[in-house]
Amino acid sequence: VLVTLDPTGVRRGATTERRPARRRPLAGARVGLVSNGLGRSAELLTRVYEALQKEAQLGAVFTVHKPHRSSPPAPEDWQRLLDEADIVIAGFGGCGSCSTRTVRDAMELEWEGIPSVAVVHQDMLPGVQAMTRLAGMPGYRYVVVDDSRTSICDWDDGAIESTAKSVVGEVLELLTVEPAV
Amino acid sequence: MSVTWDEAAALVEEMRPLVRADGADFKLAAVSDDGWIDIHLLLDGVSCLECVLPPDLLSEMVSDSTRRSMPSCPGARLHDPRVV
């Protein structure tokens, strides 16, 4: 089976590779959480939101559950993110393509004008770095979790809570500080 | 301007991390005289087929990468066994 690729092609679904201006403060910002369904990723994202809420008085939150780890959100969920989210947190990148796709989701949301951050595990950095580099955004920053366990399926409540607390500062920074060009 | 095997191999090497964690791989199969690149997606070591980045995104990544790193390349052909 052959797929012929046009090297002059334009990325589908993306307007540009721009980075939207960060919103400061985040008070009242509506938050979209993009869960890839890996293990307890939705719980982790919720805990991150709750920790962020204490620091930044965020607005309403909703969670989008992707149909599969390596796929984007369903079209209706993608549209909801574009319509109803001021900022997005995506995760959890703790396996192969769930990591590369998670950071890709965040980058594509940035291209659509929504400040976004991806949360990934340190063991998956080679794939994540390849994704940002090959997508033309080698300097795109994301939050790296360095828990000794890669599989979020194995994380207990304490690990979820402590991980959320450990990353919230960087999540806040990436959503509020203007990125270097 | 033609594309050398080494240039195409470097491109493939750069893309490998996208799929290696899932047990998949890319293989440079051919570089034609007129510069077209043939790349095969290898899925032999994959235990979860749907975990590998989907064909449309991989195609897009290969296309973008080729365009960025080798502007003079006429194009790349990705052979993805999942595409029927």
Side-chain angles (χ1 to χ4, degrees), chain A residues 1-9 11-12 17 68 70 96-97 100-101 104 126-127 130-131 133-136, chain B residues 14 17-18 21-22 50-54 56-57 59-65 67-68 74 76-79 83:
Chain A
V1 176
L2 196 64
V3 180
T4 301
L5 305 173
D6 173 8
T8 63
R11 179 175 293 102
R12 173 180 51 78
E17 292 182 6
H68 195 273
S70 64
S97 287
T100 50
R101 184 71 236 194
R104 178 76 181 200
M131 173 60 78
R133 186 175 62 248
L134 293 170
Chain B
E14 198 174 10
L18 288 175
D22 295 306
E50 57 184 4
C51 291
V52 180
L53 283 175
D56 57 346
L57 179 58
S59 295
E60 193 176 300
M61 297 299 298
V62 171
S63 180
D64 283 355
S65 306
R67 174 167 47 87
R68 283 203 175 86
R77 292 183 284 249
L78 177 65
H79 301 253
V83 179

mmCIF file of all heavy atoms in Angstrom, chain A residues 1-9 11-12 17 68 70 96-97 100-101 104 126-127 130-131 133-136, chain B residues 14 17-18 21-22 50-54 56-57 59-65 67-68 74 76-79 83:
data_model
loop_
_atom_site.group_PDB
_atom_site.id
_atom_site.type_symbol
_atom_site.label_atom_id
_atom_site.label_comp_id
_atom_site.label_asym_id
_atom_site.label_seq_id
_atom_site.Cartn_x
_atom_site.Cartn_y
_atom_site.Cartn_z
ATOM 1 N N VAL A 1 0.848 -1.191 0.000
ATOM 2 C CA VAL A 1 0.000 0.000 0.000
ATOM 3 C C VAL A 1 0.879 1.235 0.000
ATOM 4 O O VAL A 1 1.844 1.322 0.752
ATOM 5 C CB VAL A 1 -0.904 0.028 1.252
ATOM 6 C CG1 VAL A 1 -1.712 1.314 1.282
ATOM 7 C CG2 VAL A 1 -1.796 -1.188 1.241
ATOM 8 N N LEU A 2 0.546 2.181 -0.835
ATOM 9 C CA LEU A 2 1.413 3.326 -1.039
ATOM 10 C C LEU A 2 0.666 4.614 -0.727
ATOM 11 O O LEU A 2 -0.464 4.815 -1.144
ATOM 12 C CB LEU A 2 1.839 3.338 -2.502
ATOM 13 C CG LEU A 2 3.015 4.200 -2.905
ATOM 14 C CD1 LEU A 2 4.279 3.706 -2.219
ATOM 15 C CD2 LEU A 2 3.185 4.138 -4.416
ATOM 16 N N VAL A 3 1.308 5.484 0.059
ATOM 17 C CA VAL A 3 0.761 6.815 0.297
ATOM 18 C C VAL A 3 1.752 7.808 -0.274
ATOM 19 O O VAL A 3 2.889 7.875 0.163
ATOM 20 C CB VAL A 3 0.568 7.090 1.805
ATOM 21 C CG1 VAL A 3 0.003 8.483 2.021
ATOM 22 C CG2 VAL A 3 -0.337 6.042 2.417
ATOM 23 N N THR A 4 1.355 8.547 -1.290
ATOM 24 C CA THR A 4 2.241 9.545 -1.886
ATOM 25 C C THR A 4 2.083 10.864 -1.147
ATOM 26 O O THR A 4 0.969 11.340 -0.934
ATOM 27 C CB THR A 4 1.916 9.748 -3.375
ATOM 28 O OG1 THR A 4 2.067 8.489 -4.030
ATOM 29 C CG2 THR A 4 2.872 10.757 -3.997
ATOM 30 N N LEU A 5 3.203 11.427 -0.772
ATOM 31 C CA LEU A 5 3.180 12.619 0.064
ATOM 32 C C LEU A 5 3.650 13.835 -0.714
ATOM 33 O O LEU A 5 4.663 13.788 -1.398
ATOM 34 C CB LEU A 5 4.089 12.417 1.278
ATOM 35 C CG LEU A 5 3.770 11.168 2.094
ATOM 36 C CD1 LEU A 5 4.823 10.968 3.164
ATOM 37 C CD2 LEU A 5 2.391 11.278 2.711
ATOM 38 N N ASP A 6 2.910 14.887 -0.601
ATOM 39 C CA ASP A 6 3.273 16.138 -1.243
ATOM 40 C C ASP A 6 4.118 16.956 -0.279
ATOM 41 O O ASP A 6 3.626 17.391 0.754
ATOM 42 C CB ASP A 6 1.999 16.904 -1.611
ATOM 43 C CG ASP A 6 2.303 18.290 -2.138
ATOM 44 O OD1 ASP A 6 3.495 18.596 -2.353
ATOM 45 O OD2 ASP A 6 1.349 19.055 -2.353
ATOM 46 N N PRO A 7 5.383 17.156 -0.577
ATOM 47 C CA PRO A 7 6.245 17.868 0.383
ATOM 48 C C PRO A 7 5.899 19.340 0.507
ATOM 49 O O PRO A 7 6.432 20.031 1.362
ATOM 50 C CB PRO A 7 7.655 17.685 -0.200
ATOM 51 C CG PRO A 7 7.438 17.475 -1.647
ATOM 52 C CD PRO A 7 6.117 16.752 -1.774
ATOM 53 N N THR A 8 5.015 19.830 -0.319
ATOM 54 C CA THR A 8 4.595 21.225 -0.184
ATOM 55 C C THR A 8 3.244 21.323 0.505
ATOM 56 O O THR A 8 2.626 22.374 0.536
ATOM 57 C CB THR A 8 4.497 21.902 -1.560
ATOM 58 O OG1 THR A 8 3.484 21.237 -2.322
ATOM 59 C CG2 THR A 8 5.822 21.841 -2.290
ATOM 60 N N GLY A 9 2.787 20.228 1.049
ATOM 61 C CA GLY A 9 1.454 20.196 1.631
ATOM 62 C C GLY A 9 1.294 21.111 2.830
ATOM 63 O O GLY A 9 2.247 21.463 3.498
ATOM 64 N N ARG A 11 -0.526 21.774 6.542
ATOM 65 C CA ARG A 11 -1.055 20.992 7.647
ATOM 66 C C ARG A 11 -2.565 21.153 7.765
ATOM 67 O O ARG A 11 -3.093 22.247 7.820
ATOM 68 C CB ARG A 11 -0.399 21.435 8.953
ATOM 69 C CG ARG A 11 -0.900 20.691 10.151
ATOM 70 C CD ARG A 11 -0.147 21.067 11.389
ATOM 71 N NE ARG A 11 1.232 20.615 11.319
ATOM 72 C CZ ARG A 11 2.261 21.388 11.030
ATOM 73 N NH1 ARG A 11 2.090 22.653 10.778
ATOM 74 N NH2 ARG A 11 3.479 20.912 10.989
ATOM 75 N N ARG A 12 -3.221 20.015 7.799
ATOM 76 C CA ARG A 12 -4.670 20.020 7.908
ATOM 77 C C ARG A 12 -5.081 20.439 9.314
ATOM 78 O O ARG A 12 -4.499 20.011 10.295
ATOM 79 C CB ARG A 12 -5.191 18.611 7.620
ATOM 80 C CG ARG A 12 -6.671 18.419 7.860
ATOM 81 C CD ARG A 12 -7.043 16.985 7.535
ATOM 82 N NE ARG A 12 -6.180 16.031 8.191
ATOM 83 C CZ ARG A 12 -6.296 15.698 9.472
ATOM 84 N NH1 ARG A 12 -7.225 16.233 10.204
ATOM 85 N NH2 ARG A 12 -5.476 14.810 10.007
ATOM 86 N N GLU A 17 1.266 28.309 12.580
ATOM 87 C CA GLU A 17 2.021 27.760 13.694
ATOM 88 C C GLU A 17 2.254 28.837 14.748
ATOM 89 O O GLU A 17 3.218 28.804 15.477
ATOM 90 C CB GLU A 17 3.337 27.175 13.201
ATOM 91 C CG GLU A 17 3.101 25.929 12.358
ATOM 92 C CD GLU A 17 4.375 25.282 11.889
ATOM 93 O OE1 GLU A 17 5.450 25.736 12.311
ATOM 94 O OE2 GLU A 17 4.287 24.345 11.116
ATOM 95 N N HIS A 68 -8.964 7.357 21.476
ATOM 96 C CA HIS A 68 -7.796 6.487 21.594
ATOM 97 C C HIS A 68 -6.572 7.325 21.899
ATOM 98 O O HIS A 68 -6.516 8.499 21.562
ATOM 99 C CB HIS A 68 -7.567 5.669 20.319
ATOM 100 C CG HIS A 68 -6.623 4.536 20.548
ATOM 101 N ND1 HIS A 68 -5.257 4.678 20.428
ATOM 102 C CD2 HIS A 68 -6.838 3.261 20.923
ATOM 103 C CE1 HIS A 68 -4.675 3.526 20.727
ATOM 104 N NE2 HIS A 68 -5.607 2.651 21.027
ATOM 105 N N SER A 70 -3.621 7.456 20.684
ATOM 106 C CA SER A 70 -2.800 8.003 19.595
ATOM 107 C C SER A 70 -3.603 8.865 18.630
ATOM 108 O O SER A 70 -3.063 9.335 17.634
ATOM 109 C CB SER A 70 -2.121 6.864 18.820
ATOM 110 O OG SER A 70 -3.092 6.052 18.194
ATOM 111 N N GLY A 96 4.174 5.313 24.350
ATOM 112 C CA GLY A 96 4.754 5.800 23.103
ATOM 113 C C GLY A 96 3.945 6.893 22.440
ATOM 114 O O GLY A 96 4.136 8.082 22.691
ATOM 115 N N SER A 97 3.019 6.470 21.612
ATOM 116 C CA SER A 97 2.279 7.460 20.834
ATOM 117 C C SER A 97 1.325 8.286 21.690
ATOM 118 O O SER A 97 0.884 9.352 21.252
ATOM 119 C CB SER A 97 1.507 6.775 19.710
ATOM 120 O OG SER A 97 2.399 6.352 18.708
ATOM 121 N N THR A 100 3.560 11.326 22.152
ATOM 122 C CA THR A 100 3.750 12.171 20.973
ATOM 123 C C THR A 100 2.433 12.810 20.561
ATOM 124 O O THR A 100 2.381 13.953 20.143
ATOM 125 C CB THR A 100 4.334 11.354 19.812
ATOM 126 O OG1 THR A 100 3.574 10.167 19.633
ATOM 127 C CG2 THR A 100 5.773 10.990 20.084
ATOM 128 N N ARG A 101 1.352 12.048 20.683
ATOM 129 C CA ARG A 101 0.048 12.592 20.293
ATOM 130 C C ARG A 101 -0.431 13.644 21.293
ATOM 131 O O ARG A 101 -1.077 14.627 20.919
ATOM 132 C CB ARG A 101 -0.973 11.467 20.186
ATOM 133 C CG ARG A 101 -2.340 11.912 19.693
ATOM 134 C CD ARG A 101 -2.316 12.291 18.225
ATOM 135 N NE ARG A 101 -2.805 13.644 18.019
ATOM 136 C CZ ARG A 101 -3.142 14.141 16.823
ATOM 137 N NH1 ARG A 101 -3.028 13.396 15.739
ATOM 138 N NH2 ARG A 101 -3.552 15.359 16.714
ATOM 139 N N ARG A 104 1.296 16.731 20.504
ATOM 140 C CA ARG A 104 0.761 17.204 19.228
ATOM 141 C C ARG A 104 -0.606 17.887 19.438
ATOM 142 O O ARG A 104 -0.890 18.927 18.838
ATOM 143 C CB ARG A 104 0.618 16.026 18.270
ATOM 144 C CG ARG A 104 0.035 16.377 16.914
ATOM 145 C CD ARG A 104 1.048 17.070 16.029
ATOM 146 N NE ARG A 104 0.500 17.422 14.746
ATOM 147 C CZ ARG A 104 1.214 17.679 13.661
ATOM 148 N NH1 ARG A 104 2.532 17.616 13.714
ATOM 149 N NH2 ARG A 104 0.663 18.000 12.533
ATOM 150 N N PRO A 126 12.286 11.131 24.082
ATOM 151 C CA PRO A 126 12.772 11.040 22.687
ATOM 152 C C PRO A 126 11.655 11.218 21.662
ATOM 153 O O PRO A 126 11.822 11.964 20.682
ATOM 154 C CB PRO A 126 13.376 9.629 22.627
ATOM 155 C CG PRO A 126 13.820 9.357 24.027
ATOM 156 C CD PRO A 126 12.757 9.995 24.887
ATOM 157 N N GLY A 127 10.535 10.573 21.868
ATOM 158 C CA GLY A 127 9.421 10.707 20.938
ATOM 159 C C GLY A 127 8.808 12.095 20.966
ATOM 160 O O GLY A 127 8.468 12.661 19.927
ATOM 161 N N ALA A 130 11.091 14.480 19.226
ATOM 162 C CA ALA A 130 11.000 14.287 17.770
ATOM 163 C C ALA A 130 9.737 14.957 17.234
ATOM 164 O O ALA A 130 9.751 15.580 16.168
ATOM 165 C CB ALA A 130 11.010 12.799 17.442
ATOM 166 N N MET A 131 8.654 14.832 17.966
ATOM 167 C CA MET A 131 7.393 15.428 17.512
ATOM 168 C C MET A 131 7.498 16.953 17.423
ATOM 169 O O MET A 131 7.121 17.560 16.416
ATOM 170 C CB MET A 131 6.255 15.028 18.452
ATOM 171 C CG MET A 131 4.933 15.730 18.148
ATOM 172 S SD MET A 131 4.303 15.415 16.491
ATOM 173 C CE MET A 131 3.597 13.767 16.679
ATOM 174 N N ARG A 133 10.194 18.800 17.221
ATOM 175 C CA ARG A 133 11.206 19.178 16.217
ATOM 176 C C ARG A 133 10.651 19.022 14.803
ATOM 177 O O ARG A 133 10.764 19.916 13.969
ATOM 178 C CB ARG A 133 12.450 18.309 16.414
ATOM 179 C CG ARG A 133 13.633 18.684 15.528
ATOM 180 C CD ARG A 133 14.865 17.868 15.868
ATOM 181 N NE ARG A 133 14.669 16.444 15.656
ATOM 182 C CZ ARG A 133 14.618 15.526 16.612
ATOM 183 N NH1 ARG A 133 14.766 15.871 17.855
ATOM 184 N NH2 ARG A 133 14.439 14.242 16.320
ATOM 185 N N LEU A 134 10.045 17.863 14.547
ATOM 186 C CA LEU A 134 9.559 17.582 13.193
ATOM 187 C C LEU A 134 8.331 18.417 12.850
ATOM 188 O O LEU A 134 8.028 18.629 11.674
ATOM 189 C CB LEU A 134 9.242 16.091 13.051
ATOM 190 C CG LEU A 134 10.473 15.178 13.118
ATOM 191 C CD1 LEU A 134 10.059 13.712 13.210
ATOM 192 C CD2 LEU A 134 11.376 15.393 11.918
ATOM 193 N N ALA A 135 7.637 18.893 13.857
ATOM 194 C CA ALA A 135 6.480 19.762 13.606
ATOM 195 C C ALA A 135 6.902 21.221 13.462
ATOM 196 O O ALA A 135 6.046 22.089 13.290
ATOM 197 C CB ALA A 135 5.462 19.616 14.740
ATOM 198 N N GLY A 136 8.191 21.466 13.567
ATOM 199 C CA GLY A 136 8.683 22.824 13.367
ATOM 200 C C GLY A 136 8.648 23.695 14.602
ATOM 201 O O GLY A 136 8.791 24.910 14.509
ATOM 202 N N GLU B 14 15.783 10.686 11.991
ATOM 203 C CA GLU B 14 15.168 11.739 12.799
ATOM 204 C C GLU B 14 13.722 11.405 13.146
ATOM 205 O O GLU B 14 13.215 11.789 14.197
ATOM 206 C CB GLU B 14 15.225 13.068 12.030
ATOM 207 C CG GLU B 14 15.028 14.270 12.904
ATOM 208 C CD GLU B 14 15.238 15.580 12.131
ATOM 209 O OE1 GLU B 14 15.353 15.544 10.890
ATOM 210 O OE2 GLU B 14 15.269 16.616 12.780
ATOM 211 N N PRO B 17 12.142 8.135 16.427
ATOM 212 C CA PRO B 17 11.593 8.212 17.791
ATOM 213 C C PRO B 17 10.077 8.383 17.838
ATOM 214 O O PRO B 17 9.466 8.097 18.868
ATOM 215 C CB PRO B 17 12.303 9.446 18.377
ATOM 216 C CG PRO B 17 13.555 9.582 17.587
ATOM 217 C CD PRO B 17 13.201 9.143 16.204
ATOM 218 N N LEU B 18 9.492 8.823 16.760
ATOM 219 C CA LEU B 18 8.031 8.987 16.751
ATOM 220 C C LEU B 18 7.311 7.668 16.976
ATOM 221 O O LEU B 18 6.192 7.643 17.485
ATOM 222 C CB LEU B 18 7.567 9.576 15.411
ATOM 223 C CG LEU B 18 7.878 11.039 15.121
ATOM 224 C CD1 LEU B 18 7.456 11.379 13.700
ATOM 225 C CD2 LEU B 18 7.161 11.943 16.116
ATOM 226 N N ALA B 21 8.919 3.846 20.475
ATOM 227 C CA ALA B 21 8.424 3.452 21.798
ATOM 228 C C ALA B 21 7.258 2.485 21.711
ATOM 229 O O ALA B 21 6.956 1.768 22.668
ATOM 230 C CB ALA B 21 8.011 4.692 22.594
ATOM 231 N N ASP B 22 6.594 2.453 20.573
ATOM 232 C CA ASP B 22 5.492 1.510 20.375
ATOM 233 C C ASP B 22 5.963 0.210 19.743
ATOM 234 O O ASP B 22 5.154 -0.673 19.464
ATOM 235 C CB ASP B 22 4.419 2.143 19.478
ATOM 236 C CG ASP B 22 3.767 3.346 20.139
ATOM 237 O OD1 ASP B 22 3.277 3.191 21.269
ATOM 238 O OD2 ASP B 22 3.759 4.426 19.536
ATOM 239 N N GLU B 50 -3.097 -0.130 17.179
ATOM 240 C CA GLU B 50 -3.775 1.169 17.213
ATOM 241 C C GLU B 50 -3.066 2.179 18.106
ATOM 242 O O GLU B 50 -3.435 3.350 18.136
ATOM 243 C CB GLU B 50 -5.223 1.005 17.650
ATOM 244 C CG GLU B 50 -5.397 0.342 18.991
ATOM 245 C CD GLU B 50 -6.876 0.111 19.324
ATOM 246 O OE1 GLU B 50 -7.730 0.396 18.473
ATOM 247 O OE2 GLU B 50 -7.141 -0.339 20.435
ATOM 248 N N CYS B 51 -2.031 1.701 18.832
ATOM 249 C CA CYS B 51 -1.266 2.630 19.655
ATOM 250 C C CYS B 51 -0.278 3.449 18.822
ATOM 251 O O CYS B 51 0.141 4.526 19.234
ATOM 252 C CB CYS B 51 -0.491 1.882 20.744
ATOM 253 S SG CYS B 51 -1.557 1.167 22.007
ATOM 254 N N VAL B 52 0.114 2.925 17.671
ATOM 255 C CA VAL B 52 1.050 3.648 16.818
ATOM 256 C C VAL B 52 0.330 4.862 16.220
ATOM 257 O O VAL B 52 -0.862 4.795 15.898
ATOM 258 C CB VAL B 52 1.561 2.733 15.691
ATOM 259 C CG1 VAL B 52 2.538 3.477 14.785
ATOM 260 C CG2 VAL B 52 2.220 1.493 16.283
ATOM 261 N N LEU B 53 1.052 5.949 16.108
ATOM 262 C CA LEU B 53 0.443 7.156 15.533
ATOM 263 C C LEU B 53 -0.321 6.797 14.267
ATOM 264 O O LEU B 53 0.162 6.027 13.432
ATOM 265 C CB LEU B 53 1.515 8.194 15.208
ATOM 266 C CG LEU B 53 2.090 8.980 16.390
ATOM 267 C CD1 LEU B 53 3.230 9.875 15.917
ATOM 268 C CD2 LEU B 53 1.031 9.811 17.089
ATOM 269 N N PRO B 54 -1.505 7.350 14.091
ATOM 270 C CA PRO B 54 -2.352 6.962 12.961
ATOM 271 C C PRO B 54 -1.736 7.354 11.614
ATOM 272 O O PRO B 54 -0.928 8.279 11.537
ATOM 273 C CB PRO B 54 -3.659 7.717 13.218
ATOM 274 C CG PRO B 54 -3.321 8.782 14.198
ATOM 275 C CD PRO B 54 -2.146 8.316 14.974
ATOM 276 N N ASP B 56 -2.696 8.987 8.983
ATOM 277 C CA ASP B 56 -2.783 10.349 8.447
ATOM 278 C C ASP B 56 -1.779 11.282 9.103
ATOM 279 O O ASP B 56 -1.150 12.109 8.447
ATOM 280 C CB ASP B 56 -4.208 10.894 8.575
ATOM 281 C CG ASP B 56 -4.723 10.875 10.000
ATOM 282 O OD1 ASP B 56 -4.109 10.216 10.846
ATOM 283 O OD2 ASP B 56 -5.743 11.530 10.259
ATOM 284 N N LEU B 57 -1.597 11.137 10.426
ATOM 285 C CA LEU B 57 -0.638 12.005 11.100
ATOM 286 C C LEU B 57 0.791 11.638 10.711
ATOM 287 O O LEU B 57 1.627 12.518 10.477
ATOM 288 C CB LEU B 57 -0.802 11.929 12.617
ATOM 289 C CG LEU B 57 0.191 12.788 13.418
ATOM 290 C CD1 LEU B 57 0.098 14.256 13.021
ATOM 291 C CD2 LEU B 57 -0.041 12.635 14.908
ATOM 292 N N SER B 59 1.768 10.359 7.933
ATOM 293 C CA SER B 59 1.963 10.872 6.578
ATOM 294 C C SER B 59 2.265 12.371 6.618
ATOM 295 O O SER B 59 3.151 12.861 5.922
ATOM 296 C CB SER B 59 0.714 10.628 5.731
ATOM 297 O OG SER B 59 0.501 9.253 5.561
ATOM 298 N N GLU B 60 1.521 13.069 7.444
ATOM 299 C CA GLU B 60 1.712 14.509 7.573
ATOM 300 C C GLU B 60 3.099 14.825 8.116
ATOM 301 O O GLU B 60 3.779 15.746 7.640
ATOM 302 C CB GLU B 60 0.638 15.043 8.521
ATOM 303 C CG GLU B 60 0.492 16.544 8.540
ATOM 304 C CD GLU B 60 -0.677 16.932 9.443
ATOM 305 O OE1 GLU B 60 -1.821 16.518 9.170
ATOM 306 O OE2 GLU B 60 -0.432 17.629 10.421
ATOM 307 N N MET B 61 3.528 14.043 9.123
ATOM 308 C CA MET B 61 4.838 14.275 9.718
ATOM 309 C C MET B 61 5.943 14.028 8.707
ATOM 310 O O MET B 61 6.917 14.779 8.628
ATOM 311 C CB MET B 61 5.035 13.353 10.935
ATOM 312 C CG MET B 61 4.075 13.578 12.080
ATOM 313 S SD MET B 61 4.166 15.212 12.810
ATOM 314 C CE MET B 61 5.837 15.251 13.421
ATOM 315 N N VAL B 62 5.813 12.953 7.940
ATOM 316 C CA VAL B 62 6.829 12.647 6.929
ATOM 317 C C VAL B 62 6.861 13.754 5.881
ATOM 318 O O VAL B 62 7.924 14.212 5.457
ATOM 319 C CB VAL B 62 6.543 11.280 6.275
ATOM 320 C CG1 VAL B 62 7.462 11.045 5.083
ATOM 321 C CG2 VAL B 62 6.712 10.165 7.295
ATOM 322 N N SER B 63 5.691 14.196 5.484
ATOM 323 C CA SER B 63 5.611 15.253 4.481
ATOM 324 C C SER B 63 6.246 16.545 4.997
ATOM 325 O O SER B 63 7.059 17.171 4.302
ATOM 326 C CB SER B 63 4.139 15.494 4.120
ATOM 327 O OG SER B 63 4.023 16.510 3.161
ATOM 328 N N ASP B 64 5.871 16.939 6.205
ATOM 329 C CA ASP B 64 6.423 18.160 6.787
ATOM 330 C C ASP B 64 7.939 18.064 6.937
ATOM 331 O O ASP B 64 8.671 19.013 6.639
ATOM 332 C CB ASP B 64 5.807 18.415 8.170
ATOM 333 C CG ASP B 64 4.399 18.967 8.082
ATOM 334 O OD1 ASP B 64 3.945 19.242 6.955
ATOM 335 O OD2 ASP B 64 3.755 19.106 9.137
ATOM 336 N N SER B 65 8.391 16.909 7.421
ATOM 337 C CA SER B 65 9.822 16.731 7.660
ATOM 338 C C SER B 65 10.597 16.794 6.361
ATOM 339 O O SER B 65 11.671 17.403 6.289
ATOM 340 C CB SER B 65 10.083 15.382 8.340
ATOM 341 O OG SER B 65 9.312 15.277 9.502
ATOM 342 N N ARG B 67 9.710 18.301 3.624
ATOM 343 C CA ARG B 67 9.664 19.673 3.106
ATOM 344 C C ARG B 67 10.656 20.570 3.848
ATOM 345 O O ARG B 67 11.341 21.394 3.236
ATOM 346 C CB ARG B 67 8.240 20.212 3.261
ATOM 347 C CG ARG B 67 8.065 21.666 2.890
ATOM 348 C CD ARG B 67 6.595 22.026 2.757
ATOM 349 N NE ARG B 67 5.790 21.534 3.874
ATOM 350 C CZ ARG B 67 5.609 22.201 5.023
ATOM 351 N NH1 ARG B 67 6.190 23.365 5.184
ATOM 352 N NH2 ARG B 67 4.857 21.706 5.983
ATOM 353 N N ARG B 68 10.740 20.387 5.161
ATOM 354 C CA ARG B 68 11.600 21.260 5.936
ATOM 355 C C ARG B 68 13.083 20.943 5.738
ATOM 356 O O ARG B 68 13.909 21.833 5.608
ATOM 357 C CB ARG B 68 11.268 21.115 7.425
ATOM 358 C CG ARG B 68 10.013 21.836 7.826
ATOM 359 C CD ARG B 68 9.996 22.147 9.313
ATOM 360 N NE ARG B 68 8.834 22.951 9.628
ATOM 361 C CZ ARG B 68 7.636 22.442 9.905
ATOM 362 N NH1 ARG B 68 7.471 21.144 9.927
ATOM 363 N NH2 ARG B 68 6.623 23.232 10.166
ATOM 364 N N PRO B 74 11.447 16.087 -4.357
ATOM 365 C CA PRO B 74 10.114 16.106 -4.972
ATOM 366 C C PRO B 74 9.038 15.472 -4.096
ATOM 367 O O PRO B 74 7.850 15.786 -4.250
ATOM 368 C CB PRO B 74 10.312 15.313 -6.274
ATOM 369 C CG PRO B 74 11.520 14.464 -6.029
ATOM 370 C CD PRO B 74 12.401 15.244 -5.105
ATOM 371 N N ALA B 76 8.042 12.194 -0.766
ATOM 372 C CA ALA B 76 8.325 10.917 -0.117
ATOM 373 C C ALA B 76 7.097 10.025 -0.219
ATOM 374 O O ALA B 76 5.964 10.522 -0.208
ATOM 375 C CB ALA B 76 8.705 11.139 1.343
ATOM 376 N N ARG B 77 7.350 8.735 -0.345
ATOM 377 C CA ARG B 77 6.241 7.778 -0.397
ATOM 378 C C ARG B 77 6.318 6.923 0.855
ATOM 379 O O ARG B 77 7.297 6.194 1.053
ATOM 380 C CB ARG B 77 6.341 6.929 -1.663
ATOM 381 C CG ARG B 77 6.090 7.722 -2.930
ATOM 382 C CD ARG B 77 6.115 6.854 -4.160
ATOM 383 N NE ARG B 77 7.466 6.493 -4.545
ATOM 384 C CZ ARG B 77 8.092 6.951 -5.652
ATOM 385 N NH1 ARG B 77 7.458 7.763 -6.478
ATOM 386 N NH2 ARG B 77 9.326 6.584 -5.934
ATOM 387 N N LEU B 78 5.286 7.039 1.686
ATOM 388 C CA LEU B 78 5.243 6.258 2.911
ATOM 389 C C LEU B 78 4.409 5.003 2.683
ATOM 390 O O LEU B 78 3.232 5.088 2.326
ATOM 391 C CB LEU B 78 4.638 7.077 4.056
ATOM 392 C CG LEU B 78 4.487 6.329 5.378
ATOM 393 C CD1 LEU B 78 5.851 5.944 5.944
ATOM 394 C CD2 LEU B 78 3.719 7.172 6.384
ATOM 395 N N HIS B 79 5.014 3.865 2.902
ATOM 396 C CA HIS B 79 4.317 2.589 2.759
ATOM 397 C C HIS B 79 3.847 2.182 4.155
ATOM 398 O O HIS B 79 4.644 1.761 4.984
ATOM 399 C CB HIS B 79 5.246 1.524 2.178
ATOM 400 C CG HIS B 79 5.809 1.900 0.834
ATOM 401 N ND1 HIS B 79 5.391 1.312 -0.337
ATOM 402 C CD2 HIS B 79 6.737 2.814 0.491
ATOM 403 C CE1 HIS B 79 6.056 1.848 -1.353
ATOM 404 N NE2 HIS B 79 6.879 2.755 -0.882
ATOM 405 N N VAL B 83 -2.787 1.100 5.846
ATOM 406 C CA VAL B 83 -3.616 1.814 4.873
ATOM 407 C C VAL B 83 -4.023 0.847 3.770
ATOM 408 O O VAL B 83 -3.181 0.244 3.128
ATOM 409 C CB VAL B 83 -2.847 3.000 4.267
ATOM 410 C CG1 VAL B 83 -3.712 3.712 3.230
ATOM 411 C CG2 VAL B 83 -2.418 3.967 5.350
#
